[in-house]
Amino acid sequence: MSDPEFLTVPELAALLRIKERKVYDLAASGEVPCTRATGKLLFPERGIRAWLDDHSDGGLAKPPRPAVLLGSHDPLLDWAVRESRCGLASYFDGSSDGLTRFLAREGVAAGLHLLDEEGREWNIPTVARSCGGRNAVLVRFAKRARGLVLGREVSGVAEMADLKGRRVVPRQPDSGSDVLFAQLAAKAGLRSEDMELAEVARTETEAVQAVARGDAEATLGLETLAKDFGLPFVPLIEERFDLLVHRRAWFDTPLQRLMTFCQSEAMAARAEHMGGYDLTGLGTVRWNA
């Protein structure tokens, strides 16, 4: 039988050979990765294994993390990786997936745009819960303009509530865009059954492409991609897109080459041309484990 994806409090206590009270203390302090579902504490098995690995002693050196960029897709970051020739590969499948894979040592950095449940802070609360005590740092990349990207012939949509009865492109569950869409929809009194959902799009570009093809009337997308496809854009929020980086990998050639390029005039010119980006403070630290 394969290992469970998530461990309960008793299961983690048994694995660590500690009392359940100590498990609650570890979770409350943010020392171990955890999540809450229906008010119940759950611990991602891969994240726990990585946490144990990070805290283990012994003479055997750990294998280096693969030079892979994880997390959420961003068009400007994607371009910078190619243009900088930094040598990083990429696996973009959403913020939550990237965070889980980062904890499991499957990459050196992860792009995140996760808004907390109160709708007040981007990324820091989630990262602090998951990465406390780890060799990790959260650095600024950009602020991005996000809103409703509409089909060319669509009219009468000026806010989230106007999506009622419309066909909408959703994003993969637990991605940053999916989480934000649910928060904005709830605030607007919009339920999932009020909309017709098209096929799930797994990147920012795929979501807007689907609208441009006429597969749906709208998606919650980035201003820069609406501009690329010549589609109407209704601004809703300015979000923060950050990079969660393994501290040791930060000083290795791939990430140094990427971040050096991101500070260049070429990068600034590209961001201005693409539109919808604010690169103020790019590369500065927002949170340090």
Side-chain angles (χ1 to χ4, degrees):
M1 183 178 296
S2 62
D3 290 333
E5 184 177 357
F6 290 94
L7 301 174
T8 63
V9 170
E11 288 170 341
L12 182 55
L15 175 66
L16 301 180
R17 294 185 173 89
I18 59 176
K19 294 183 178 180
E20 292 184 16
R21 179 67 264 170
K22 179 62 175 176
V23 172
Y24 285 109
D25 291 341
L26 290 171
S29 67
E31 188 171 347
V32 295
C34 66
T35 185
R36 289 185 181 272
T38 63
K40 184 177 181 180
L41 273 176
L42 294 173
F43 304 86
E45 190 272 338
R46 285 196 302 178
I48 291 297
R49 296 292 180 186
W51 176 78
L52 288 172
D53 185 51
D54 280 349
H55 289 77
S56 64
D57 295 321
L60 294 178
K62 298 173 187 174
R65 288 172 176 251
V68 177
L69 184 59
L70 306 163
S72 180
H73 171 246
D74 177 78
L76 180 59
L77 178 61
D78 200 10
W79 176 83
V81 168
R82 296 192 303 273
E83 289 297 310
S84 66
R85 302 180 67 84
C86 62
L88 287 171
S90 59
Y91 183 87
F92 298 133
D93 200 22
S95 294
S96 296
D97 178 83
L99 179 57
T100 299
R101 292 181 183 276
F102 180 86
L103 293 172
R105 300 177 57 85
E106 294 181 20
V108 294
L112 308 177
H113 64 116
L114 292 166
L115 186 60
D116 66 14
E117 295 178 356
E118 289 75 30
R120 297 176 181 175
E121 182 62 85
W122 293 95
N123 301 320
I124 291 179
T126 303
V127 169
R129 286 195 304 270
S130 301
C131 299
R134 288 178 172 271
N135 207 6
V137 61
L138 187 72
V139 298
R140 299 175 189 268
F141 183 76
K143 290 181 180 178
R144 309 188 301 188
R146 184 176 289 279
L148 299 177
V149 181
L150 307 176
R152 292 182 180 86
E153 306 301 323
V154 173
S155 61
V157 176
E159 57 185 18
M160 285 292 294
D162 295 330
L163 294 181
K164 186 172 183 178
R166 306 278 185 170
R167 183 169 171 81
V168 177
V169 180
R171 297 294 303 280
Q172 63 269 48
D174 295 327
S175 65
S177 298
D178 176 67
V179 171
L180 179 60
F181 187 93
Q183 290 173 317
L184 295 176
K187 191 176 295 186
L190 186 68
R191 302 168 301 172
S192 59
E193 54 265 36
D194 293 332
M195 300 166 284
E196 180 185 355
L197 298 182
E199 184 177 348
V200 169
R202 306 199 76 86
T203 70
E204 299 290 352
T205 303
E206 287 178 12
V208 177
Q209 281 177 330
V211 175
R213 285 194 304 265
D215 295 345
E217 297 172 89
T219 192
L220 182 65
L222 297 175
E223 179 182 12
T224 183
L225 288 172
K227 180 180 176 182
D228 280 350
F229 286 87
L231 297 176
F233 178 74
V234 179
L236 294 179
I237 194 168
E238 185 179 59
E239 65 179 15
R240 187 177 290 281
F241 185 89
D242 297 318
L243 294 176
L244 177 64
V245 181
H246 186 251
R247 193 181 288 111
R248 292 178 186 172
W250 175 262
F251 298 100
D252 291 340
T253 299
L255 277 172
Q256 281 295 298
R257 183 172 292 173
L258 173 63
M259 297 311 296
T260 297
F261 179 81
C262 285
Q263 303 287 348
S264 69
E265 293 183 6
M267 179 73 165
R270 180 72 175 188
E272 183 176 0
H273 175 72
M274 291 176 67
Y277 285 99
D278 178 357
L279 301 186
T280 302
L282 190 155
T284 59
V285 174
R286 297 198 65 222
W287 174 90
N288 204 337

